[in-house]
Amino acid sequence: MPRKVAAVAGGLTYFSKARKDKTQEELAAEAARMALFENDIDLAKDDIDGTIVSYFSDHFEDQLLFGSIIQDYLGFNPKPSVRIEGGGATGGLAVRDAYAHVASGLLDVAMVIGFEKMSEVNTAKGNEFIALASDTDWDFPIGGFYSGYYALMARRHMEEFGTTEEQMAMVAVKNRNNAQHNKFAQTNPKMNPFAMKDGGKITVDDVLKSPYVSYPLKRLDICLMSDGAAVLILASEEKAKKITDTPVWITGTGAGTDAMRAGDRPRTVAGVPMLPHEKKEWYKKLEYPGVHSFRAGRESARQAYKMANITNPLKQLDVIELHDAYTSSEIQTYEDLGLTRYGQGGKLVEEGVTAIDGDLPVNPSGGLIGTMHAVGGTGVMQAVEMLWQLQGVSGKFHGSDKTQVKNAERGLIHSHAGTGTYVTATIMER
Amino acid sequence: MTEVYSIDPLIIKTPYEITYKHSYGKTSKFFTSLSSGKLMTTRCEHCKVTFLPPRADCPNCLRETKWVEISGKGTIHTFTTLYFSGEKFLKDLPFQLVYVDLEGVDTLFLTRLKTKDMKKVKVGMKIRMRISKELEWRSSDVWAEPYE
Ligand SMILES: [Zn+2]
Protein backbone atom coordinates (compact mmCIF):
# COMPACT_ATOMS: atom_id res chain seq x y z
CA MET A 1 0.00 0.00 0.00
CA PRO A 2 1.29 3.51 -0.81
CA ARG A 3 1.82 5.84 2.16
CA LYS A 4 -0.42 8.86 2.64
CA VAL A 5 1.21 12.05 1.32
CA ALA A 6 0.48 15.68 2.21
CA ALA A 7 1.47 19.06 0.84
CA VAL A 8 2.78 21.11 3.77
CA ALA A 9 4.31 24.30 2.35
CA GLY A 10 4.63 26.36 -0.81
CA GLY A 11 6.36 29.41 -2.21
CA LEU A 12 6.14 31.55 -5.34
CA THR A 13 8.10 34.38 -6.91
CA TYR A 14 6.64 37.48 -8.44
CA PHE A 15 6.01 36.51 -12.06
CA SER A 16 7.15 38.73 -14.89
CA LYS A 17 7.69 38.85 -18.63
CA ALA A 18 11.37 39.35 -17.77
CA ARG A 19 12.95 38.99 -14.33
CA LYS A 20 16.26 40.49 -15.46
CA ASP A 21 17.16 41.16 -11.83
CA LYS A 22 17.77 37.48 -11.00
CA THR A 23 19.12 34.29 -12.55
CA GLN A 24 17.00 31.15 -12.74
CA GLU A 25 18.62 29.67 -9.64
CA GLU A 26 18.13 32.94 -7.74
CA LEU A 27 14.42 32.84 -8.64
CA ALA A 28 14.22 29.24 -7.37
CA ALA A 29 15.85 30.36 -4.12
CA GLU A 30 13.29 33.17 -3.76
CA ALA A 31 10.41 30.66 -3.98
CA ALA A 32 12.17 28.08 -1.75
CA ARG A 33 12.76 30.73 0.92
CA MET A 34 9.04 31.55 0.96
CA ALA A 35 8.17 27.84 1.21
CA LEU A 36 10.51 27.33 4.17
CA PHE A 37 10.04 30.59 6.08
CA GLU A 38 6.62 32.06 5.30
CA ASN A 39 4.40 28.99 5.79
CA ASP A 40 3.28 28.04 9.28
CA ILE A 41 5.48 24.95 9.59
CA ASP A 42 7.95 23.28 11.90
CA LEU A 43 10.51 22.21 9.30
CA ALA A 44 14.19 23.00 8.79
CA LYS A 45 15.88 23.06 5.40
CA ASP A 46 17.98 20.05 6.43
CA ASP A 47 14.77 18.02 6.90
CA ILE A 48 14.28 17.95 3.12
CA ASP A 49 15.34 14.46 1.98
CA GLY A 50 15.54 15.13 -1.75
CA THR A 51 14.29 17.24 -4.63
CA ILE A 52 12.29 16.92 -7.83
CA VAL A 53 13.36 19.62 -10.27
CA SER A 54 10.81 20.77 -12.82
CA TYR A 55 11.72 22.76 -15.92
CA PHE A 56 10.75 22.43 -19.56
CA SER A 57 13.40 23.68 -21.93
CA ASP A 58 17.17 23.47 -22.12
CA HIS A 59 16.99 25.96 -25.02
CA PHE A 60 15.77 29.04 -23.15
CA GLU A 61 18.99 29.29 -21.17
CA ASP A 62 21.28 27.18 -23.38
CA GLN A 63 22.24 25.10 -20.34
CA LEU A 64 21.90 21.33 -20.02
CA LEU A 65 21.70 19.54 -16.65
CA PHE A 66 20.36 22.67 -15.00
CA GLY A 67 18.87 20.47 -12.26
CA SER A 68 22.37 19.96 -10.90
CA ILE A 69 22.97 23.70 -10.74
CA ILE A 70 19.72 24.12 -8.79
CA GLN A 71 20.56 21.28 -6.41
CA ASP A 72 23.91 22.90 -5.67
CA TYR A 73 22.62 26.48 -5.51
CA LEU A 74 19.94 25.55 -2.97
CA GLY A 75 22.45 23.50 -0.98
CA PHE A 76 20.91 20.04 -1.23
CA ASN A 77 24.00 18.03 -2.29
CA PRO A 78 24.58 15.08 -1.89
CA LYS A 79 20.89 14.21 -1.45
CA PRO A 80 18.90 12.58 -4.29
CA SER A 81 17.40 14.71 -7.07
CA VAL A 82 15.72 14.09 -10.41
CA ARG A 83 14.70 16.37 -13.25
CA ILE A 84 11.19 15.94 -14.69
CA GLU A 85 10.22 17.23 -18.14
CA GLY A 86 6.93 16.88 -19.99
CA GLY A 87 6.24 20.07 -21.96
CA GLY A 88 3.51 22.21 -20.45
CA ALA A 89 2.67 19.39 -18.04
CA THR A 90 6.18 19.39 -16.58
CA GLY A 91 5.02 20.85 -13.24
CA GLY A 92 2.05 18.50 -12.87
CA LEU A 93 4.25 15.53 -13.67
CA ALA A 94 6.84 16.73 -11.15
CA VAL A 95 4.23 17.04 -8.38
CA ARG A 96 2.97 13.56 -9.27
CA ASP A 97 6.52 12.20 -9.24
CA ALA A 98 7.21 13.78 -5.84
CA TYR A 99 3.98 12.18 -4.60
CA ALA A 100 5.26 8.82 -5.86
CA HIS A 101 8.65 9.33 -4.20
CA VAL A 102 7.00 9.99 -0.83
CA ALA A 103 4.18 7.45 -1.16
CA SER A 104 6.71 4.72 -1.97
CA GLY A 105 8.95 5.57 0.98
CA LEU A 106 11.92 6.67 -1.15
CA LEU A 107 11.70 10.12 0.43
CA ASP A 108 9.99 11.30 3.62
CA VAL A 109 10.07 15.00 2.81
CA ALA A 110 10.43 16.11 -0.82
CA MET A 111 10.83 19.56 -2.33
CA VAL A 112 9.47 20.18 -5.85
CA ILE A 113 11.31 23.07 -7.51
CA GLY A 114 9.62 24.38 -10.67
CA PHE A 115 10.82 27.30 -12.78
CA GLU A 116 11.43 28.72 -16.22
CA LYS A 117 13.20 31.79 -17.49
CA MET A 118 11.78 32.42 -20.95
CA SER A 119 12.84 36.02 -21.46
CA GLU A 120 16.44 35.60 -22.58
CA VAL A 121 15.35 35.01 -26.18
CA ASN A 122 12.90 37.25 -28.06
CA THR A 123 9.19 36.35 -28.03
CA ALA A 124 9.14 34.97 -31.59
CA LYS A 125 12.17 32.77 -30.82
CA GLY A 126 10.51 31.70 -27.58
CA ASN A 127 7.44 30.68 -29.53
CA GLU A 128 9.68 28.79 -31.92
CA PHE A 129 11.30 26.88 -29.01
CA ILE A 130 7.85 26.00 -27.71
CA ALA A 131 6.86 24.87 -31.22
CA LEU A 132 9.90 22.55 -31.24
CA ALA A 133 7.77 20.61 -28.75
CA SER A 134 5.63 19.63 -31.73
CA ASP A 135 6.61 17.11 -34.43
CA THR A 136 9.58 18.79 -36.13
CA ASP A 137 9.48 16.50 -39.20
CA TRP A 138 5.84 17.22 -40.05
CA ASP A 139 3.97 19.82 -38.01
CA PHE A 140 6.70 22.39 -37.37
CA PRO A 141 8.10 23.05 -40.90
CA ILE A 142 4.76 24.23 -42.35
CA GLY A 143 4.61 27.18 -39.96
CA GLY A 144 4.49 25.54 -36.58
CA PHE A 145 3.24 27.74 -33.77
CA TYR A 146 1.35 26.52 -30.74
CA SER A 147 -1.32 29.21 -30.90
CA GLY A 148 -2.01 27.95 -34.44
CA TYR A 149 -2.38 24.36 -33.30
CA TYR A 150 -4.80 25.34 -30.50
CA ALA A 151 -6.68 27.63 -32.88
CA LEU A 152 -7.28 24.69 -35.21
CA MET A 153 -8.67 22.70 -32.27
CA ALA A 154 -10.75 25.65 -31.04
CA ARG A 155 -12.25 26.17 -34.50
CA ARG A 156 -13.22 22.50 -34.63
CA HIS A 157 -14.79 22.78 -31.15
CA MET A 158 -16.85 25.69 -32.49
CA GLU A 159 -17.87 23.57 -35.50
CA GLU A 160 -18.84 20.51 -33.43
CA PHE A 161 -20.56 22.23 -30.52
CA GLY A 162 -21.31 25.85 -31.38
CA THR A 163 -18.81 27.28 -28.90
CA THR A 164 -18.42 31.04 -29.48
CA GLU A 165 -15.62 33.57 -29.37
CA GLU A 166 -17.65 35.48 -26.73
CA GLN A 167 -17.61 32.43 -24.43
CA MET A 168 -13.84 32.18 -24.87
CA ALA A 169 -13.54 35.88 -24.06
CA MET A 170 -15.46 35.29 -20.80
CA VAL A 171 -12.73 32.87 -19.69
CA ALA A 172 -10.06 35.51 -20.32
CA VAL A 173 -12.02 38.12 -18.34
CA LYS A 174 -12.59 35.74 -15.41
CA ASN A 175 -8.95 34.68 -15.11
CA ARG A 176 -7.38 38.04 -15.83
CA ASN A 177 -9.66 39.78 -13.34
CA ASN A 178 -9.05 37.15 -10.64
CA ALA A 179 -5.34 37.87 -11.08
CA GLN A 180 -5.93 41.50 -10.08
CA HIS A 181 -6.18 40.27 -6.45
CA ASN A 182 -3.05 38.09 -6.59
CA LYS A 183 0.19 39.94 -5.93
CA PHE A 184 2.27 37.35 -7.79
CA ALA A 185 0.37 37.90 -11.07
CA GLN A 186 2.18 39.22 -14.13
CA THR A 187 -0.92 41.17 -15.24
CA ASN A 188 -1.31 42.90 -11.84
CA PRO A 189 0.68 46.16 -11.89
CA LYS A 190 -1.01 47.39 -8.70
CA MET A 191 0.45 44.63 -6.52
CA ASN A 192 3.38 43.11 -8.45
CA PRO A 193 6.45 45.35 -8.91
CA PHE A 194 7.54 43.19 -11.88
CA ALA A 195 4.13 43.18 -13.64
CA MET A 196 3.45 44.33 -17.18
CA LYS A 197 2.56 48.00 -17.27
CA ASP A 198 -0.52 47.51 -19.46
CA GLY A 199 -2.05 44.92 -17.12
CA GLY A 200 -5.18 45.41 -15.02
CA LYS A 201 -8.83 44.46 -15.45
CA ILE A 202 -10.33 43.68 -18.84
CA THR A 203 -13.82 43.29 -20.35
CA VAL A 204 -15.28 40.88 -22.91
CA ASP A 205 -15.16 43.74 -25.38
CA ASP A 206 -11.42 44.23 -24.76
CA VAL A 207 -10.82 40.58 -25.57
CA LEU A 208 -12.99 40.60 -28.69
CA LYS A 209 -11.26 43.75 -29.93
CA SER A 210 -7.74 42.52 -29.25
CA PRO A 211 -5.94 41.52 -32.47
CA TYR A 212 -6.13 37.98 -33.83
CA VAL A 213 -2.97 35.99 -33.25
CA SER A 214 -4.40 32.89 -34.87
CA TYR A 215 -8.11 32.97 -35.70
CA PRO A 216 -10.27 32.38 -33.61
CA LEU A 217 -7.72 33.13 -30.85
CA LYS A 218 -6.91 36.73 -30.03
CA ARG A 219 -4.10 38.22 -28.04
CA LEU A 220 -6.12 38.27 -24.81
CA ASP A 221 -7.25 34.63 -25.30
CA ILE A 222 -3.65 33.49 -24.93
CA CYS A 223 -1.59 32.79 -21.83
CA LEU A 224 1.47 34.69 -20.68
CA MET A 225 5.12 33.78 -21.14
CA SER A 226 6.88 34.24 -17.81
CA ASP A 227 10.01 34.19 -15.74
CA GLY A 228 9.57 32.83 -12.25
CA ALA A 229 9.58 29.87 -9.89
CA ALA A 230 7.31 27.83 -7.62
CA VAL A 231 8.30 25.50 -4.80
CA LEU A 232 6.15 22.87 -3.06
CA ILE A 233 7.05 20.68 -0.09
CA LEU A 234 5.43 17.25 0.30
CA ALA A 235 5.75 14.94 3.31
CA SER A 236 4.72 11.48 4.45
CA GLU A 237 1.77 11.24 6.88
CA GLU A 238 4.00 10.74 9.89
CA LYS A 239 6.22 13.73 9.04
CA ALA A 240 3.39 15.94 7.78
CA LYS A 241 1.57 15.76 11.10
CA LYS A 242 4.70 16.98 12.88
CA ILE A 243 5.38 19.72 10.33
CA THR A 244 1.97 21.39 10.22
CA ASP A 245 -1.50 21.48 11.80
CA THR A 246 -3.02 21.94 8.37
CA PRO A 247 -1.65 19.29 5.99
CA VAL A 248 -3.38 19.03 2.61
CA TRP A 249 -3.58 15.42 1.44
CA ILE A 250 -3.04 14.20 -2.09
CA THR A 251 -5.89 11.71 -2.42
CA GLY A 252 -5.81 10.97 -6.13
CA THR A 253 -3.62 11.43 -9.18
CA GLY A 254 -3.91 10.49 -12.82
CA ALA A 255 -1.90 10.93 -16.00
CA GLY A 256 -2.98 10.60 -19.63
CA THR A 257 -1.30 10.86 -23.02
CA ASP A 258 -2.17 11.36 -26.67
CA ALA A 259 -0.52 11.56 -30.10
CA MET A 260 1.94 14.41 -30.63
CA ARG A 261 0.36 15.08 -34.02
CA ALA A 262 -3.24 15.80 -33.08
CA GLY A 263 -4.33 14.70 -36.56
CA ASP A 264 -3.22 11.15 -35.72
CA ARG A 265 -5.68 10.89 -32.82
CA PRO A 266 -8.69 8.60 -33.26
CA ARG A 267 -12.11 9.76 -34.31
CA THR A 268 -14.04 6.90 -32.77
CA VAL A 269 -17.83 7.14 -32.70
CA ALA A 270 -19.01 6.83 -29.06
CA GLY A 271 -15.34 6.60 -28.03
CA VAL A 272 -15.52 8.77 -24.91
CA PRO A 273 -13.98 7.09 -21.83
CA MET A 274 -16.91 7.44 -19.43
CA LEU A 275 -16.92 8.99 -15.96
CA PRO A 276 -19.22 7.52 -13.28
CA HIS A 277 -21.88 10.24 -13.56
CA GLU A 278 -22.08 10.19 -17.36
CA LYS A 279 -24.54 8.35 -19.63
CA LYS A 280 -23.46 6.51 -22.81
CA GLU A 281 -26.35 8.00 -24.77
CA TRP A 282 -24.95 11.52 -24.35
CA TYR A 283 -22.11 10.71 -26.71
CA LYS A 284 -23.41 7.98 -29.00
CA LYS A 285 -22.83 10.10 -32.14
CA LEU A 286 -19.71 11.97 -31.03
CA GLU A 287 -16.43 11.20 -32.84
CA TYR A 288 -13.81 11.18 -30.10
CA PRO A 289 -11.36 12.69 -29.36
CA GLY A 290 -10.72 14.06 -32.86
CA VAL A 291 -9.04 17.42 -32.65
CA HIS A 292 -11.77 19.06 -30.54
CA SER A 293 -11.17 17.33 -27.19
CA PHE A 294 -8.24 16.24 -25.04
CA ARG A 295 -8.45 12.49 -24.46
CA ALA A 296 -5.38 12.69 -22.19
CA GLY A 297 -7.23 15.17 -19.96
CA ARG A 298 -10.22 12.87 -19.70
CA GLU A 299 -8.00 9.87 -18.93
CA SER A 300 -6.05 11.74 -16.23
CA ALA A 301 -9.30 12.84 -14.57
CA ARG A 302 -10.81 9.35 -14.80
CA GLN A 303 -7.84 7.88 -12.90
CA ALA A 304 -7.68 10.66 -10.30
CA TYR A 305 -11.44 10.51 -9.60
CA LYS A 306 -11.31 6.75 -9.20
CA MET A 307 -8.43 6.99 -6.72
CA ALA A 308 -10.12 9.78 -4.72
CA ASN A 309 -13.62 8.23 -4.89
CA ILE A 310 -15.10 11.12 -6.83
CA THR A 311 -18.27 10.16 -8.68
CA ASN A 312 -19.63 13.64 -9.41
CA PRO A 313 -16.82 16.17 -9.87
CA LEU A 314 -19.03 19.27 -10.19
CA LYS A 315 -20.58 18.52 -6.78
CA GLN A 316 -17.58 17.03 -5.00
CA LEU A 317 -14.89 19.53 -6.00
CA ASP A 318 -14.78 22.99 -4.40
CA VAL A 319 -12.06 24.65 -6.48
CA ILE A 320 -9.94 23.94 -9.56
CA GLU A 321 -6.67 25.30 -10.89
CA LEU A 322 -6.41 24.20 -14.51
CA HIS A 323 -4.04 24.79 -17.43
CA ASP A 324 -5.67 27.69 -19.31
CA ALA A 325 -2.98 28.01 -21.99
CA TYR A 326 -5.83 29.34 -24.14
CA THR A 327 -9.38 30.37 -23.28
CA SER A 328 -10.54 27.64 -25.66
CA SER A 329 -8.53 24.99 -23.84
CA GLU A 330 -10.09 25.98 -20.50
CA ILE A 331 -13.53 25.38 -22.06
CA GLN A 332 -12.37 22.09 -23.58
CA THR A 333 -10.92 21.06 -20.22
CA TYR A 334 -14.22 21.65 -18.35
CA GLU A 335 -15.60 18.88 -20.55
CA ASP A 336 -12.61 16.55 -20.22
CA LEU A 337 -12.87 16.87 -16.42
CA GLY A 338 -16.57 16.01 -16.58
CA LEU A 339 -17.73 19.31 -15.05
CA THR A 340 -20.30 19.40 -17.83
CA ARG A 341 -21.13 17.33 -20.92
CA TYR A 342 -18.91 17.43 -23.98
CA GLY A 343 -20.05 20.42 -25.98
CA GLN A 344 -21.39 22.38 -23.03
CA GLY A 345 -18.12 23.89 -21.75
CA GLY A 346 -18.84 27.32 -23.17
CA LYS A 347 -22.16 27.45 -21.33
CA LEU A 348 -20.47 26.66 -18.03
CA VAL A 349 -18.44 29.86 -18.09
CA GLU A 350 -21.39 31.81 -19.53
CA GLU A 351 -23.55 30.75 -16.56
CA GLY A 352 -20.86 31.86 -14.11
CA VAL A 353 -20.39 28.40 -12.60
CA THR A 354 -16.59 28.74 -12.73
CA ALA A 355 -16.45 32.37 -11.54
CA ILE A 356 -14.75 33.13 -8.23
CA ASP A 357 -18.23 33.34 -6.59
CA GLY A 358 -19.69 30.49 -8.67
CA ASP A 359 -20.49 26.89 -7.65
CA LEU A 360 -17.05 25.68 -8.72
CA PRO A 361 -14.43 28.44 -9.05
CA VAL A 362 -11.81 27.69 -11.70
CA ASN A 363 -8.46 29.48 -11.64
CA PRO A 364 -9.08 31.82 -8.71
CA SER A 365 -5.31 32.51 -8.86
CA GLY A 366 -5.67 34.01 -12.34
CA GLY A 367 -4.24 30.93 -14.05
CA LEU A 368 -1.88 31.01 -17.00
CA ILE A 369 -3.81 33.87 -18.63
CA GLY A 370 -3.80 36.17 -15.63
CA THR A 371 -0.87 35.14 -13.47
CA MET A 372 1.95 33.24 -15.13
CA HIS A 373 3.16 30.56 -17.47
CA ALA A 374 6.80 29.95 -16.60
CA VAL A 375 6.42 26.48 -18.08
CA GLY A 376 8.20 24.22 -15.57
CA GLY A 377 6.89 26.32 -12.69
CA THR A 378 3.25 26.33 -13.77
CA GLY A 379 2.01 22.97 -12.50
CA VAL A 380 3.91 23.52 -9.26
CA MET A 381 2.33 26.98 -8.88
CA GLN A 382 -1.09 25.30 -9.19
CA ALA A 383 -0.24 22.89 -6.37
CA VAL A 384 0.98 25.76 -4.18
CA GLU A 385 -2.20 27.72 -4.93
CA MET A 386 -4.36 24.70 -4.10
CA LEU A 387 -2.46 24.12 -0.84
CA TRP A 388 -3.09 27.73 0.23
CA GLN A 389 -6.75 27.59 -0.88
CA LEU A 390 -7.42 24.45 1.17
CA GLN A 391 -5.50 25.82 4.16
CA GLY A 392 -7.58 29.00 3.89
CA VAL A 393 -4.49 31.21 3.67
CA SER A 394 -4.71 32.43 0.04
CA GLY A 395 -5.49 35.94 1.24
CA LYS A 396 -2.35 36.11 3.35
CA PHE A 397 -0.12 35.14 0.45
CA HIS A 398 -1.97 36.97 -2.33
CA GLY A 399 -2.28 40.21 -0.40
CA SER A 400 -6.08 40.21 -0.87
CA ASP A 401 -8.88 38.04 0.55
CA LYS A 402 -10.81 38.18 -2.71
CA THR A 403 -9.11 35.13 -4.19
CA GLN A 404 -9.95 32.83 -1.25
CA VAL A 405 -12.69 30.29 -2.04
CA LYS A 406 -14.73 30.05 1.15
CA ASN A 407 -14.65 26.73 3.00
CA ALA A 408 -12.87 24.91 0.19
CA GLU A 409 -12.18 21.32 1.28
CA ARG A 410 -11.33 19.48 -1.93
CA GLY A 411 -9.70 20.72 -5.12
CA LEU A 412 -8.26 19.54 -8.41
CA ILE A 413 -5.11 20.69 -10.20
CA HIS A 414 -4.68 20.01 -13.90
CA SER A 415 -1.45 20.29 -15.88
CA HIS A 416 -1.35 20.00 -19.68
CA ALA A 417 1.35 19.72 -22.36
CA GLY A 418 1.21 20.72 -26.03
CA THR A 419 -2.24 20.11 -27.57
CA GLY A 420 -2.95 17.54 -24.84
CA THR A 421 0.00 15.18 -25.35
CA TYR A 422 0.61 14.74 -21.61
CA VAL A 423 -1.99 15.71 -19.01
CA THR A 424 -2.07 15.18 -15.25
CA ALA A 425 -4.90 15.63 -12.77
CA THR A 426 -4.34 15.55 -9.02
CA ILE A 427 -6.86 15.78 -6.18
CA MET A 428 -5.94 17.59 -2.96
CA GLU A 429 -8.03 17.59 0.25
CA ARG A 430 -7.68 19.14 3.66
CA MET B 1 33.73 40.27 -29.22
CA THR B 2 30.98 39.85 -26.65
CA GLU B 3 28.12 42.27 -27.15
CA VAL B 4 26.92 43.89 -23.92
CA TYR B 5 23.18 44.57 -23.64
CA SER B 6 23.06 46.04 -20.13
CA ILE B 7 25.46 46.81 -17.29
CA ASP B 8 23.21 46.51 -14.21
CA PRO B 9 22.39 43.70 -14.10
CA LEU B 10 25.12 42.66 -16.55
CA ILE B 11 23.47 41.15 -19.63
CA ILE B 12 25.54 39.86 -22.55
CA LYS B 13 24.46 38.54 -25.96
CA THR B 14 25.43 34.93 -26.85
CA PRO B 15 24.57 33.76 -30.41
CA TYR B 16 23.94 30.08 -31.19
CA GLU B 17 23.95 28.25 -34.51
CA ILE B 18 23.89 24.57 -35.40
CA THR B 19 23.39 22.27 -38.40
CA TYR B 20 21.86 18.82 -37.96
CA LYS B 21 22.28 15.94 -40.44
CA HIS B 22 18.71 14.71 -40.02
CA SER B 23 17.57 11.33 -41.39
CA TYR B 24 13.97 10.68 -42.42
CA GLY B 25 14.76 6.96 -42.08
CA LYS B 26 12.13 4.67 -43.56
CA THR B 27 9.73 7.52 -44.27
CA SER B 28 12.25 8.98 -46.78
CA LYS B 29 10.10 7.59 -49.63
CA PHE B 30 7.40 10.17 -48.93
CA PHE B 31 9.84 12.91 -49.90
CA THR B 32 11.67 11.12 -52.72
CA SER B 33 8.32 10.23 -54.35
CA LEU B 34 7.39 13.89 -54.52
CA SER B 35 10.01 14.42 -57.25
CA SER B 36 7.95 12.14 -59.55
CA GLY B 37 4.77 14.00 -58.60
CA LYS B 38 3.42 11.21 -56.39
CA LEU B 39 1.91 11.42 -52.93
CA MET B 40 2.88 8.20 -51.17
CA THR B 41 2.11 7.14 -47.63
CA THR B 42 1.92 3.98 -45.55
CA ARG B 43 -0.81 1.51 -44.70
CA CYS B 44 -1.04 -1.32 -42.19
CA GLU B 45 -2.69 -4.19 -44.05
CA HIS B 46 -3.32 -5.99 -40.76
CA CYS B 47 -5.22 -3.12 -39.11
CA LYS B 48 -6.54 -1.69 -42.40
CA VAL B 49 -5.38 1.79 -41.44
CA THR B 50 -3.66 4.33 -43.71
CA PHE B 51 -1.46 6.91 -42.02
CA LEU B 52 -0.39 10.34 -43.23
CA PRO B 53 2.25 11.38 -42.16
CA PRO B 54 3.62 7.93 -42.98
CA ARG B 55 4.81 5.58 -40.24
CA ALA B 56 7.14 2.69 -41.00
CA ASP B 57 5.66 0.75 -38.08
CA CYS B 58 1.96 0.49 -37.22
CA PRO B 59 1.35 1.92 -33.71
CA ASN B 60 -1.65 -0.38 -33.24
CA CYS B 61 -0.03 -3.78 -33.91
CA LEU B 62 3.67 -2.89 -34.43
CA ARG B 63 3.75 -4.70 -37.78
CA GLU B 64 5.63 -3.06 -40.66
CA THR B 65 3.48 -0.94 -42.97
CA LYS B 66 3.37 -0.87 -46.81
CA TRP B 67 3.60 2.12 -49.15
CA VAL B 68 0.47 3.16 -51.06
CA GLU B 69 -0.29 6.08 -53.37
CA ILE B 70 -3.06 8.51 -52.42
CA SER B 71 -5.06 10.94 -54.57
CA GLY B 72 -4.45 14.00 -52.41
CA LYS B 73 -8.09 15.09 -52.69
CA GLY B 74 -10.13 15.84 -49.64
CA THR B 75 -11.88 18.40 -47.44
CA ILE B 76 -10.98 20.92 -44.74
CA HIS B 77 -11.66 19.53 -41.24
CA THR B 78 -10.70 22.77 -39.45
CA PHE B 79 -8.64 25.87 -40.25
CA THR B 80 -6.90 28.88 -38.76
CA THR B 81 -5.34 32.09 -40.06
CA LEU B 82 -2.09 33.08 -38.39
CA TYR B 83 -1.07 36.68 -37.82
CA PHE B 84 1.88 35.82 -35.58
CA SER B 85 4.21 32.79 -35.45
CA GLY B 86 7.59 31.48 -34.47
CA GLU B 87 10.62 33.41 -35.70
CA LYS B 88 11.18 31.17 -38.72
CA PHE B 89 7.78 31.92 -40.27
CA LEU B 90 7.29 35.62 -39.49
CA LYS B 91 8.12 36.45 -43.13
CA ASP B 92 5.17 34.34 -44.35
CA LEU B 93 2.47 36.08 -42.28
CA PRO B 94 -0.46 36.03 -42.57
CA PHE B 95 -0.96 32.40 -43.66
CA GLN B 96 -3.47 29.63 -43.11
CA LEU B 97 -3.11 26.18 -41.58
CA VAL B 98 -5.66 23.40 -42.07
CA TYR B 99 -6.27 19.84 -40.97
CA VAL B 100 -7.38 18.04 -44.12
CA ASP B 101 -9.40 14.86 -44.33
CA LEU B 102 -7.95 13.11 -47.41
CA GLU B 103 -9.45 10.32 -49.54
CA GLY B 104 -8.09 6.94 -48.52
CA VAL B 105 -6.36 8.31 -45.39
CA ASP B 106 -7.58 7.57 -41.85
CA THR B 107 -5.66 10.31 -40.03
CA LEU B 108 -6.05 14.07 -40.44
CA PHE B 109 -3.11 15.84 -42.11
CA LEU B 110 -1.83 19.23 -40.96
CA THR B 111 -0.69 21.45 -43.81
CA ARG B 112 -0.70 24.99 -45.21
CA LEU B 113 -3.65 26.16 -47.26
CA LYS B 114 -2.70 28.41 -50.14
CA THR B 115 -5.58 30.40 -51.58
CA LYS B 116 -6.17 33.79 -53.17
CA ASP B 117 -9.17 34.41 -50.92
CA MET B 118 -8.51 33.54 -47.27
CA LYS B 119 -11.93 34.90 -46.24
CA LYS B 120 -13.77 32.21 -48.23
CA VAL B 121 -12.22 29.30 -46.34
CA LYS B 122 -14.74 27.06 -44.58
CA VAL B 123 -14.89 23.74 -42.77
CA GLY B 124 -15.94 21.09 -45.32
CA MET B 125 -14.47 22.97 -48.29
CA LYS B 126 -12.95 20.74 -51.00
CA ILE B 127 -9.19 20.85 -51.47
CA ARG B 128 -6.42 19.01 -53.27
CA MET B 129 -2.81 18.63 -52.28
CA ARG B 130 -0.14 20.30 -54.41
CA ILE B 131 3.56 19.43 -54.61
CA SER B 132 6.32 22.02 -54.84
CA LYS B 133 8.43 22.09 -58.02
CA GLU B 134 11.45 23.12 -56.00
CA LEU B 135 11.71 20.53 -53.26
CA GLU B 136 13.21 21.57 -49.92
CA TRP B 137 12.74 18.05 -48.47
CA ARG B 138 10.49 19.41 -45.72
CA SER B 139 6.80 18.79 -45.03
CA SER B 140 6.22 22.27 -46.46
CA ASP B 141 6.92 20.75 -49.93
CA VAL B 142 3.21 19.86 -50.01
CA TRP B 143 0.20 22.07 -49.31
CA ALA B 144 -3.53 22.22 -49.89
CA GLU B 145 -5.40 24.48 -52.29
CA PRO B 146 -9.12 24.93 -52.90
CA TYR B 147 -10.36 22.56 -55.62
CA GLU B 148 -13.49 23.13 -57.81
ZN1 LIG C 1 -1.42 -2.53 -37.56
Side-chain angles (χ1 to χ4, degrees), chain A residues 20-22 59 62 122-125 127-128 136-145 147-149 151-157 159-160 212-216 259 261-265 267 287 290-292, chain B residues 5 9 11 14 16 22-24 27 30-31 52-55 76-90 95 97-99 101 105-112 122-123 138-140 142:
Chain A
K20 290 185 179 138
D21 60 312
K22 288 193 178 183
H59 290 46
D62 192 16
N122 68 48
T123 302
K125 182 57 90 179
N127 276 308
E128 191 177 304
T136 56
D137 277 355
W138 297 96
D139 288 357
F140 178 73
I142 58 161
F145 177 39
S147 296
Y149 304 149
L152 287 158
M153 300 182 91
R155 182 62 188 80
R156 189 64 203 181
H157 200 271
E159 189 72 20
E160 292 278 343
Y212 279 115
V213 170
S214 189
Y215 163 83
R261 298 187 302 249
D264 286 8
R265 296 174 191 172
R267 284 176 287 154
E287 288 186 357
V291 296
H292 52 75
Chain B
Y5 176 81
I11 298 175
T14 58
Y16 183 90
H22 179 60
S23 169
Y24 283 117
T27 57
F30 173 87
F31 294 95
L52 180 68
R55 296 170 180 256
I76 292 176
H77 185 75
T78 181
F79 68 95
T80 182
T81 309
L82 284 90
Y83 302 92
F84 192 68
S85 75
E87 195 171 48
K88 221 170 232 174
F89 309 107
L90 290 174
F95 60 86
L97 295 180
V98 286
Y99 274 112
D101 201 350
V105 178
D106 293 290
T107 55
L108 297 171
F109 186 62
L110 179 60
T111 194
R112 282 256 185 123
K122 281 200 289 244
V123 172
R138 307 304 306 257
S139 58
S140 49
V142 298

Side-chain angles (χ1 to χ4, degrees), chain A residues 164-209:
Chain A
T164 65
E165 292 179 60
E166 287 78 6
Q167 290 169 335
M168 295 181 207
M170 288 174 196
V171 172
V173 170
K174 170 178 72 70
N175 295 353
R176 173 77 171 248
N177 292 355
N178 286 347
Q180 302 316 307
H181 307 287
N182 175 358
K183 76 172 185 190
F184 302 108
Q186 189 169 324
T187 65
N188 184 348
K190 285 196 179 138
M191 300 169 80
N192 174 357
F194 299 94
M196 56 205 250
K197 299 293 171 258
D198 58 344
K201 284 200 168 188
I202 55 169
T203 64
V204 167
D205 218 36
D206 292 334
V207 184
L208 293 175
K209 282 184 178 152

Side-chain angles (χ1 to χ4, degrees), chain A residues 40 125 134 240 302:
Chain A
D40 188 12
K125 182 57 90 179
S134 65
R302 197 188 61 73

Side-chain angles (χ1 to χ4, degrees), chain B residues 6 10 31-32 50-51 58 60 62-63 68 77 87 91 95 99 104-106 140:
Chain B
S6 140
L10 181 61
F31 294 95
T32 52
T50 303
F51 306 98
C58 171
N60 302 320
L62 279 186
R63 288 176 171 83
V68 292
H77 185 75
E87 195 171 48
K91 62 183 187 323
F95 60 86
Y99 274 112
V105 178
D106 293 290
S140 49

